[in-house]
């Protein structure tokens, strides 16, 4: 139970607070380092655009059994987190923690928001329900202009969940915040004691490599977020990856990780090239969150539903072409 809930006399616990107290016992594998593949969770929605919690249990089972993926990143970019209400984000976080109990190793909840109080509220909630970790994106309307401003914002969020591992979500192509992570990490544990690592969603492998080279002794987790370039990031020493393709290509990507670890670079390259061949194909058709939902739906059989406006549904033409392309790929393992 969170420190906040412990301080409240029991008569004053709201119904929501009691539910959170119960959920807080549903934590994932304690003390296990976050590494390997982390699926960036899609947010299932009903045809009328409401979040669809009823399929999360099926989603968890699919990831574990079919994709061999046991870590999840909730309410991030792929999950349309910043298009959801605070209440929706809390409901999704609670359901992933509940359904992931004894099945998933890590449920990381993205709690970033443009509003600091909202982000702090989400951080407290994630702690109360027993999330494995929290992550925060840089504010991107009124932006921090230097390291000190960014760290100060992150610290104010992390301090609301003092017992929960904290990760910075670095995605400058979307935020426009281009403060180098190498610079950000200098002395960060002194200001954020719970800091555990970075979700690095950028193509700047020089910055990434310097982060790993300079901070290896800290044992931070460096999780790469550009799926089509994962093999290059492995070569400079990342611990794992967070991405949307691990929802439906997780097993293939794990085979690439295994080949790299052997090491069998030629086999690892085959997997990376084939994953890239599919992504290159769909990117040319127009590939984003809506299209990811469509691909996940036809691969898994779980209805992911429409995206939230202003995004629009993937076209039937896209679905047909993407399915045909994926079916045409001959993988090294024979599938």
């Amino acid at each position: 139970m969170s420190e906040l809930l412990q301080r409240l006399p029991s008569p004053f616990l709201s119904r929501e607070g009691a539910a959170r107290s119960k959920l807080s016992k549903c934590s994932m594998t304690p003390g296990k380092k976050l590494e390997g593949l982390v699926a960036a969770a899609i947010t299932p929605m009903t045809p009328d655009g409401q979040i669809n919690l009823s399929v999360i249990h099926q989603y968890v089972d699919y990831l574990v059994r079919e994709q061999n993926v046991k870590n999840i990143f909730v309410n991030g970019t792929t999950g349309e987190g910043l298009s959801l209400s605070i209440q929706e984000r809390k409901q999704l976080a609670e359901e992933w923690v509940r359904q992931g109990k004894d099945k998933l190793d890590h449920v990381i909840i993205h709690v970033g928001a443009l509003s600091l109080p909202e982000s702090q509220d989400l951080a407290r909630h994630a702690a109360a329900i027993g999330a494995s970790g929290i992550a925060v994106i840089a504010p991107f309307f009124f932006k921090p202009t230097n390291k000190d401003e960014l760290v100060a914002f992150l610290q104010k969020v992390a301090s609301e969940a003092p017992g929960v591992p904290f990760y910075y979500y670095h995605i400058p192509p979307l935020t426009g915040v281009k403060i180098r992570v190498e610079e950000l990490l200098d002395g960060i544990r002194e200001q954020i004691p719970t800091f555990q690592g970075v979700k690095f969603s950028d193509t700047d492998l020089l910055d990434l490599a310097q982060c790993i080279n300079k901070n290896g002794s800290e044992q931070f987790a460096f999780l790469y977020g550009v799926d089509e370039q994962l093999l290059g990031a492995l070569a400079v020493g990342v611990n794992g990856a967070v991405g949307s393709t691990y929802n439906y290509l997780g097993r293939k990507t794990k085979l690439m990780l295994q080949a790299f670890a052997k090491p069998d670079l030629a086999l690892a390259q085959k997997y990376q090239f084939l994953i890239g061949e599919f992504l290159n194909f769909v990117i040319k058709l127009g590939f984003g969150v809506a299209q990811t939902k469509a691909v996940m739906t036809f691969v898994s059989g779980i209805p992911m539903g429409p995206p939230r406006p202003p995004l629009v549904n993937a076209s039937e033409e896209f679905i047909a072409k993407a399915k045909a392309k994926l079916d045409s790929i001959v993988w090294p393992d024979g599938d």
Side-chain angles (χ1 to χ4, degrees):
M1 188 180 293
S2 71
E3 182 181 350
L4 172 65
L5 291 174
Q6 287 177 330
R7 290 200 303 265
L8 291 173
S10 56
F12 294 94
L13 280 174
S14 66
R15 183 175 301 174
E16 181 182 13
R20 292 180 190 176
S21 175
K22 184 177 180 181
L23 274 169
S24 70
K25 300 175 183 177
C26 300
S27 59
M28 306 301 106
T29 307
K32 190 169 184 178
K33 184 177 181 180
L34 180 58
E35 58 187 0
L37 296 186
V38 184
I42 296 163
T43 295
M45 292 188 181
T46 61
D48 63 351
Q50 302 303 307
I51 62 171
N52 184 6
L53 300 177
S54 68
V55 300
I56 300 295
H57 73 283
Q58 186 181 358
Y59 194 163
V60 170
D61 289 344
Y62 169 81
L63 287 175
V64 173
R65 295 173 185 172
E66 301 300 324
Q67 297 300 333
N68 195 22
V69 171
K70 298 186 72 175
N71 304 306
I72 198 80
F73 188 91
V74 179
N75 291 333
T77 304
T78 300
E80 304 170 81
L82 292 166
S83 294
L84 305 175
S85 71
I86 297 301
Q87 186 58 32
E88 287 174 324
R89 292 174 69 171
K90 290 181 178 180
Q91 290 173 336
L92 282 160
E94 290 175 9
E95 192 66 12
W96 275 105
V97 169
R98 181 183 294 112
Q99 297 299 336
K101 184 178 185 294
D102 300 325
K103 295 179 180 180
L104 298 176
D105 290 336
H106 294 274
V107 175
I108 308 300
I109 308 297
H110 174 242
V111 301
L114 295 182
S115 160
L116 176 59
E118 288 183 349
S119 191
Q120 291 173 317
D121 181 27
L122 288 167
R124 289 191 294 270
H125 176 264
I129 65 173
S132 314
I134 58 173
V136 173
I137 198 171
F140 54 87
F141 188 81
F142 294 117
K143 299 180 178 67
T145 60
N146 57 54
K147 168 197 168 179
D148 292 341
E149 292 175 359
L150 177 55
V151 171
F153 180 89
L154 300 178
Q155 190 276 332
K156 289 178 186 299
V157 179
S159 64
E160 295 298 316
V164 181
F166 180 87
Y167 301 87
Y168 170 53
Y169 180 6
H170 179 64
I171 185 166
L174 290 184
T175 63
V177 177
K178 299 180 180 180
I179 299 164
R180 289 173 63 80
V181 180
E182 176 195 2
E183 178 186 2
L184 182 77
L185 295 183
D186 187 23
I188 196 166
R189 272 264 175 87
E190 296 171 6
Q191 298 177 72
I192 306 176
T194 54
F195 183 85
Q196 292 295 313
V198 181
K199 179 182 185 293
F200 193 103
S201 296
D202 191 24
T203 58
D204 187 351
L205 290 180
L206 175 59
D207 186 19
L208 177 62
Q210 289 301 300
C211 290
I212 295 169
N213 182 45
K214 294 174 65 176
N215 296 279
S217 62
E218 296 284 357
Q219 296 187 327
F220 292 149
F222 292 99
L223 305 162
Y224 198 53
V226 184
D227 303 11
E228 60 271 28
Q229 296 184 2
L230 176 55
L231 186 55
L234 289 173
V236 299
V238 297
N239 309 96
V242 182
S244 61
T245 64
Y246 313 136
N247 285 287
Y248 53 88
L249 289 175
R251 189 170 291 275
K252 303 302 182 188
T253 307
K254 276 223 165 179
L255 291 171
M256 183 182 81
L257 297 182
Q258 291 168 12
F260 180 79
K262 278 184 179 179
D264 185 342
L265 183 57
L267 181 58
Q269 285 175 329
K270 286 181 182 178
Y271 279 107
Q272 183 71 93
F273 290 159
L274 290 171
I275 292 166
E277 181 180 330
F278 174 71
L279 289 173
N280 188 52
F281 179 84
V282 292
I283 287 168
K284 288 178 179 177
L285 296 177
F287 192 59
V289 169
Q291 290 72 25
T292 295
K293 296 184 101 165
V295 172
M296 181 60 172
T297 297
F298 72 66
V299 172
S300 70
I302 305 169
M304 291 294 140
R308 181 152 289 179
L311 302 181
V312 298
N313 272 323
S315 67
E316 291 300 322
E317 179 184 13
F318 171 88
I319 294 170
K321 288 183 175 179
K323 187 176 188 305
K325 180 62 178 177
L326 195 56
D327 289 345
S328 74
I329 294 176
V330 179
W331 300 94
D333 58 349
D335 287 350

